[in-house]
Amino acid sequence: MKPQADTQTAPDFAPRSWTTRRDEKARRLAAVSGWLEDGVLPTARTTDALELLIRSGDRVALEGDNQKQADFLSRSLAKADPSKINNVHLLISSISRPEHLTLFERGIAHRVDFAFAGPQSLRVAQLLEDGQLEVGAIHTYVELYARMFVDLIPQVALLCAEKADRHGNLYTGPNTEDTPTIAEAAAFSHGIVIVQVNEIVDELPRVDIPGSWVDVVVQADRPFAVEPLFTRDPRHIGDLQVLTAMMVIKGIYAPYGIASLNHGIGFDTAAIELLLPTYGESLGLKGKICRNWTLNPHPTLIPAIESGWVESVHCFGSEVGMEAYIAARPDIFFTGSDGSLRSNRVLCQLAGQYGVDLFIGSTLQIDADANSSTVTRGRLAGFGGAPNMGHDPRGRRHASEAWLKLLKNTGPVSRGHKLVVQLAETWKKGGEPTFVDELDAIAVGQKSGMPVAPVMIYGDDVSHVVTEEGIAHLHRAEGIDERRAALAAVAGVTPIGLRAQQQKTDELRRRGIVQFPEDLGILRGAARRSLLAARSIDDLVTWSGGLYTPPARFRSW
Amino acid sequence: MKPQADTQTAPDFAPRSWTTRRDEKARRLAAVSGWLEDGVLPTARTTDALELLIRSGDRVALEGDNQKQADFLSRSLAKADPSKINNVHLLISSISRPEHLTLFERGIAHRVDFAFAGPQSLRVAQLLEDGQLEVGAIHTYVELYARMFVDLIPQVALLCAEKADRHGNLYTGPNTEDTPTIAEAAAFSHGIVIVQVNEIVDELPRVDIPGSWVDVVVQADRPFAVEPLFTRDPRHIGDLQVLTAMMVIKGIYAPYGIASLNHGIGFDTAAIELLLPTYGESLGLKGKICRNWTLNPHPTLIPAIESGWVESVHCFGSEVGMEAYIAARPDIFFTGSDGSLRSNRVLCQLAGQYGVDLFIGSTLQIDADANSSTVTRGRLAGFGGAPNMGHDPRGRRHASEAWLKLLKNTGPVSRGHKLVVQLAETWKKGGEPTFVDELDAIAVGQKSGMPVAPVMIYGDDVSHVVTEEGIAHLHRAEGIDERRAALAAVAGVTPIGLRAQQQKTDELRRRGIVQFPEDLGILRGAARRSLLAARSIDDLVTWSGGLYTPPARFRSW
């Protein structure tokens, strides 16, 4: 009975338990307590234990990060008996392993909220069509974590670390990534935190996550899976990418004074990284631009670091093979007292959203309004992290030189704008135009029943588009028609580019809204691969003084 | 000598140290090592030690959070000899204690990057004018933390916790707030982490921050300062605020289906919280709206929690007096195995930015375009956390029922919008209009030499403005003139409101763009304080079953 608003009498409550989550957790842990010794579960008992620790319908946060994967736990869960656990609601950053989808085929899981499904996107689309998988929503990484504290609070978290000690303290090593955030969401909402580790030791190199947040530790059958997603072999950078990179450095980074930035993972941005010590140096830009980075430890950044361009790099995750190099460069990277990297996806995303002057990334398709997407037909790939950094953060209140250069004078209430730059070759390798009338994302969204099309970066957030033809300074255009004309002027012989009118383009070039290489004093013929500070993985190893040890697949020697 | 781009020879580097930060940290810690026992510094040595651990020109992150304050460390630093430490660059969320400014008067600090300066804003403005203080920038909270990983990496962090053990592990208790984030920025960039604690114990109730992140622990002379900033005494809620709150519930929360939300700290939103169990119940809305909250533990939320409205609350910080109540409601609040709250400002801000349907807050001034500010003349108050939640996050990619209701059909590339609601009485208590032609913030910004005016919430992010006159559904208006007309229609007899034209207002009401109480079926005369579920602090204590123990200043018995 609720209290009467008009009286001051004490409310008289119906009996209700306020500890249902805590009690449920205690019940489940009690069911497996016989198997645990100091919180450690025998490896062979993992599937049995998961069948007791997870209940049908639970929200289960499975650590499939951008890079590292709690793959022993996902493989063990995929072996569970669907009559014991079914209809799990999976929360997972990156659907990237085959067994993630086995969970749906076997009925163990049914609903999923996720951020990225690159390698498994075709299978996701197929399962969706077959009704075996239901998508809650597709998020950018930090949105998914955000909801773990709001309406997607997990009952169970399946996590991944390098080492644990006998108190359950965890050492993540350089790939800290998302583990602390997911652990926090579960541990403090009376969720059950289960962690696979490569090794159980007496003394940890450092503590990344306190033991009091962890319920069950299990030693995995083999070290957790981790992919070198951010390694770009300089051999695959062509002259056109060098040309584009030169334009970005001379036409954007220098005049806008880009001190802090995030780079995407394409070959175009790798080319920029590799031109800083050569072309950038020749322009006298060292110390003036590209000082503070929010970026994974890209091997192609090594020459710029060694040449003294870089003051700091904060990382979302790590990169396979970069461990010893990072440990030897603690002035640059965020490292612990043990010497290895401390990455943190949420904090790096926050830094990349609010703390930097510029986001730049490559894209696969752009429409006339500069909306862009990496979705291609048939694939439900998702978003990953780009949307969080590739937009103008309207909650930003501090100014920087670069941000103020995009200020539009709209009277006394004006504000600057983040630089959001999209890079694209006008035609893709497969012979398809990059600039199109309608993004494939629209058809994919409709087919999948998504409420809005899965656009990666919205055109009205984009300040610049750069192609091998030139730079469109979209933020300088007046009105939507001029904006479209500026984009068309750099879109080459694509359906969009063919709409460009010579006279308007000439005017836009005179007004500095469009710049072709010659307007920047860049000779197309001078844009050669030979300008790259490293032209192979081997060169990068040399630059690193032998500290960078690339994975076998990147070695040619 | 840098490698020649045209040759494959190994680069030949000039000798350079890559461990300058780590070496400098080791040197400074060695200077105080004689005083430390198990990393614990004797209380009486604090100022001496700070003089050795901090160098002139350092960036020092001082924990002045929204609520808790490392006040022993700030008082100790203020006693330092300015000939030994000067020109410190202070990074501080909230300039809220007198000694924060003594640091500038004495020349110990000179530059400051901050987020909020409420109680000390007049003195900040004065010191700025006198040239004793230089402002880097004024941020919203998370922006400032973001920059601690980019271009404002601290050399020293001065932090605050309840307890430490002999290994330097920290227990923050319910006010975790910003400590883990600032500790991470410093600890992993070879900054020195110094923590004041109330108590040093053998065994912690739980570990909030691992000891391997902490360099020096010192027991404070008295428990750290913490302010009950979020307690609103229901006695001060008037009939007009009840009317506004009824309109918000019936005219916004119900039709838009607001399941998850953040409330500001004003009396208007406290009124909404207190009407849920009475008026909200009578509308049959329980379980349909206001289920998941990102919010400090407002005492005025107790009746809604007790009545079963609330599924979850994730908190930025805690609130004095709410400890026992929170500990008894672990199904609702994020709590640790010790039973007490785990708050986290960065994660709650992330949740409040990306994870909820609605932000609603009170403001002091609004202009014709719905730009608003809490800045008043002469005061450089700053932003706090509102801008991060009070904007449409353009990096959001998941949909919700409420978000889709604000979708404007702009063709195949459309998206929804967060609800951003501003509450205001048309006239302030002091007899000044709330709706004005020009925000005071513009003059304050100019006088302080700020590059852009310190606007709190930008008008183009605002979806609704609600006054005692009615609701303006700004997102439904077509074009800027109609938007202004909708705002004027609810602005009463202020300079803005007087521009409203009866005929246009009638049309806007017919089209549902403006709603007056009568359009919602709300009788002005029925909006009475007696509808509030609690009308005093004593009522809240009763609702809580005696678990809420308000600070003395809020007690009237």
Side-chain angles (χ1 to χ4, degrees), chain A residues 190-214:
Chain A
H190 316 287
I192 298 172
V193 178
I194 305 168
V195 187
Q196 71 167 71
V197 298
N198 298 349
E199 208 183 341
I200 296 170
V201 298
D202 288 329
E203 186 95 27
L204 294 177
R206 73 174 188 234
V207 178
D208 287 291
I209 295 167
S212 58
W213 302 19
V214 175

Side-chain angles (χ1 to χ4, degrees), chain A residues 443-487:
Chain A
V444 170
Q446 281 165 352
K447 190 166 175 230
S448 312
M450 294 176 72
V452 298
V455 171
M456 182 68 90
I457 308 284
Y458 285 96
D460 48 3
D461 277 315
V462 176
S463 61
H464 298 81
V465 171
V466 187
T467 70
E468 74 279 13
E469 299 289 328
I471 302 175
H473 297 262
L474 298 179
H475 71 97
R476 291 182 186 156
E478 300 288 340
I480 198 166
D481 289 338
E482 189 165 287
R483 213 169 180 277
R484 287 179 180 167
L487 189 72

Side-chain angles (χ1 to χ4, degrees), chain A residues 262-518:
Chain A
N262 167 265
H263 269 188
I265 61 169
F267 286 97
D268 313 80
T269 43
I272 297 171
E273 291 154 21
L274 291 170
L275 284 181
L276 292 177
T278 54
Y279 182 65
E281 188 93 29
S282 74
L283 297 175
L285 295 171
K286 188 158 91 176
K288 295 182 184 148
I289 62 166
C290 300
R291 296 194 302 262
N292 305 108
W293 298 71
T294 56
L295 194 75
N296 277 319
H298 293 183
T300 41
L301 198 60
I302 292 172
I305 294 172
E306 294 301 308
S307 309
W309 280 72
V310 177
E311 281 175 14
S312 68
V313 183
H314 189 261
C315 301
F316 311 96
S318 189
E319 183 65 0
V320 179
M322 287 287 282
E323 297 82 0
Y325 178 73
I326 293 165
R329 300 289 179 266
D331 275 0
I332 308 298
F333 293 98
F334 281 70
T335 56
S337 50
D338 63 316
S340 78
L341 188 71
R342 165 85 179 189
S343 58
N344 187 319
R345 183 153 288 113
V346 158
L347 291 177
C348 195
Q349 285 281 346
L350 185 71
Q353 179 189 22
Y354 273 131
V356 302
D357 292 323
L358 168 140
F359 164 85
I360 186 169
S362 308
T363 191
L364 295 180
Q365 273 194 341
I366 307 186
D367 72 13
D369 292 315
N371 298 298
S372 66
S373 173
T374 54
V375 165
T376 49
R377 289 198 185 271
R379 288 180 183 270
L380 202 63
F383 300 111
N388 179 60
M389 294 179 289
H391 76 274
D392 180 44
R394 299 169 72 89
R396 174 170 172 162
R397 292 294 179 272
H398 78 278
S400 73
E401 182 194 339
W403 187 81
L404 287 172
K405 285 207 164 126
L406 272 69
L407 185 143
K408 285 217 170 176
N409 190 349
T410 53
V413 176
S414 302
R415 57 178 162 183
H417 195 290
K418 183 177 187 172
L419 278 96
V420 176
V421 183
Q422 291 281 277
L423 295 174
E425 289 186 37
T426 56
W427 284 76
K428 290 196 283 270
K429 298 248 183 312
E432 300 230 4
T434 301
F435 290 81
V436 296
D437 278 311
E438 185 171 285
L439 299 176
D440 286 356
I442 289 161
V444 170
Q446 281 165 352
K447 190 166 175 230
S448 312
M450 294 176 72
V452 298
V455 171
M456 182 68 90
I457 308 284
Y458 285 96
D460 48 3
D461 277 315
V462 176
S463 61
H464 298 81
V465 171
V466 187
T467 70
E468 74 279 13
E469 299 289 328
I471 302 175
H473 297 262
L474 298 179
H475 71 97
R476 291 182 186 156
E478 300 288 340
I480 198 166
D481 289 338
E482 189 165 287
R483 213 169 180 277
R484 287 179 180 167
L487 189 72
V490 300
V493 289
T494 62
I496 303 297
L498 290 171
R499 289 189 202 137
Q501 294 177 325
Q502 183 72 45
Q503 202 183 338
K504 182 67 185 173
T505 299
D506 291 345
E507 183 210 323
L508 292 171
R509 288 175 66 188
R510 274 196 306 276
R511 289 167 54 205
I513 297 172
V514 167
Q515 290 181 303
F516 289 170
E518 45 273 37

Side-chain angles (χ1 to χ4, degrees), chain A residues 139-286:
Chain A
H139 309 72
T140 182
Y141 292 132
V142 292
E143 271 183 281
L144 182 60
Y145 308 139
R147 293 186 67 191
M148 290 189 195
F149 296 90
V150 183
D151 59 348
L152 293 179
I153 300 172
Q155 271 89 18
V156 178
L158 304 177
L159 306 177
C160 181
E162 280 202 10
K163 302 171 201 259
D165 68 16
R166 293 274 162 195
H167 308 286
N169 294 303
L170 302 179
Y171 173 66
T172 60
N175 286 89
T176 309
E177 303 192 42
D178 312 321
T179 321
T181 305
I182 305 173
E184 181 156 350
F188 294 99
S189 64
H190 316 287
I192 298 172
V193 178
I194 305 168
V195 187
Q196 71 167 71
V197 298
N198 298 349
E199 208 183 341
I200 296 170
V201 298
D202 288 329
E203 186 95 27
L204 294 177
R206 73 174 188 234
V207 178
D208 287 291
I209 295 167
S212 58
W213 302 19
V214 175
D215 299 298
V216 177
V217 167
V218 59
Q219 183 162 341
D221 54 356
R222 56 176 191 251
F224 61 75
V226 59
E227 288 292 319
L229 297 175
F230 301 94
T231 298
R232 294 289 166 268
D233 188 335
R235 280 185 304 168
H236 303 306
I237 297 173
D239 291 347
L240 273 193
Q241 283 153 330
V242 172
L243 175 65
T244 307
M246 290 169 75
M247 285 194 278
V248 169
I249 293 171
K250 193 165 183 186
I252 299 179
Y253 289 6
Y256 290 87
I258 301 303
S260 55
L261 70 166
N262 167 265
H263 269 188
I265 61 169
F267 286 97
D268 313 80
T269 43
I272 297 171
E273 291 154 21
L274 291 170
L275 284 181
L276 292 177
T278 54
Y279 182 65
E281 188 93 29
S282 74
L283 297 175
L285 295 171
K286 188 158 91 176

